[in-house]
Amino acid sequence: MPRYIAFLRGINVGGHRVKMDRLRAIFTELGLKDVSTFIASGNVVFSTDSDDADGLREMIEGHLASQLGYEVPTFVRSPAGLAAIASFMPPETVTRKPSVSSHYVIFLDTRAPDDHFYFSETEVHWLIQGKLTESPLFGRPGLDQATRGVRTTMRNINTLRRIAAKTVPPEADKRTGPAS
C-alpha cells in the first residue's frame, strides 16, 4: 500500500489551531490508513491504495475545508520523492565550503516555468545566510510575488530529513531527480 506525506499550509499558525488527534481523525475519515502526524505544524504521513497524488491532494483539501471551515493548501509527496528532496545539495555546497546556515524548502503546487528559481520541479530550495527571521524576505509578500500566486508551504530541511528517515525504507529509491 503506497505511503505519502501531506504538508499542510497554515496549520497552527495565524489563529488556526488544530490538535494533532483531530487532524489524524480528519485524514482517517477519508479512508486513509496508518495516519500519523509529525510535529504540530501540518505534516501528515498516511497509507492509501491510491497512486494518484493529485487526486489525494484535492480530496484532502476539500475535506479539510469542510471540516475546518477554511482552505488548507496541501502538498502531497511520496517517501521516495521526499528522500530526493531531503538529499538535495545545491551545486555550490559540493564545490566549496557552504556559507549557508539555514536551508528551507518551499513546496509549490505547480511548476512556474517562466520564473527563474533554483528548484527541483515542484520544490524551491531556499538557502539563507543566518536565521529565517533575519532574511529580508521573511514575512514579506516578496515570496508570494516571486511565485506569482502559486500556492506554497515551507519546511526546514532538517524536519524533512527527519520525516524521510521515518518513512523511507532502506531499499527505497534514492534518486536525485524530480520528486514525486
Side-chain angles (χ1 to χ4, degrees), residues 22 26 29 60-71:
R22 174 69 178 124
I26 290 171
E29 290 166 3
I60 293 166
E61 283 183 339
H63 194 60
L64 286 168
S66 72
Q67 295 299 304
L68 300 177
Y70 56 90
E71 283 188 33

Side-chain angles (χ1 to χ4, degrees), residues 20-152:
M20 292 303 98
D21 58 343
R22 174 69 178 124
L23 190 57
R24 288 188 296 273
I26 290 171
F27 273 68
T28 302
E29 290 166 3
L30 290 169
L32 304 173
K33 307 289 184 212
D34 307 315
V35 177
S36 64
T37 53
F38 186 80
I39 65 177
S41 61
N43 307 300
V44 184
V45 180
F46 61 93
S47 298
T48 179
D49 289 327
S50 176
D51 61 357
D52 179 8
D54 287 335
L56 287 167
R57 178 190 53 77
E58 290 173 7
M59 178 180 72
I60 293 166
E61 283 183 339
H63 194 60
L64 286 168
S66 72
Q67 295 299 304
L68 300 177
Y70 56 90
E71 283 188 33
V72 180
T74 302
F75 306 82
V76 176
R77 300 295 187 267
S78 70
L82 180 58
I85 295 165
S87 66
F88 174 81
M89 293 299 291
E92 61 270 16
T93 63
V94 174
T95 59
R96 59 181 157 79
K97 183 178 177 183
S99 59
V100 173
S101 57
S102 296
H103 179 166
Y104 287 83
V105 176
I106 301 169
F107 292 88
L108 305 172
D109 69 349
T110 186
R111 187 173 178 187
D114 293 332
D115 293 346
H116 301 284
F117 294 105
Y118 192 81
F119 61 93
S120 174
E121 291 300 319
T122 56
E123 292 81 32
V124 175
H125 289 260
W126 184 16
L127 286 75
I128 304 164
Q129 294 285 118
K131 297 178 183 177
L132 172 66
T133 56
E134 295 171 351
S135 168
L137 294 176
F138 179 74
R140 306 258 186 216
L143 286 178
D144 288 335
Q145 291 171 351
T147 59
R148 294 190 179 146
V150 172
R151 298 177 319 157
T152 64

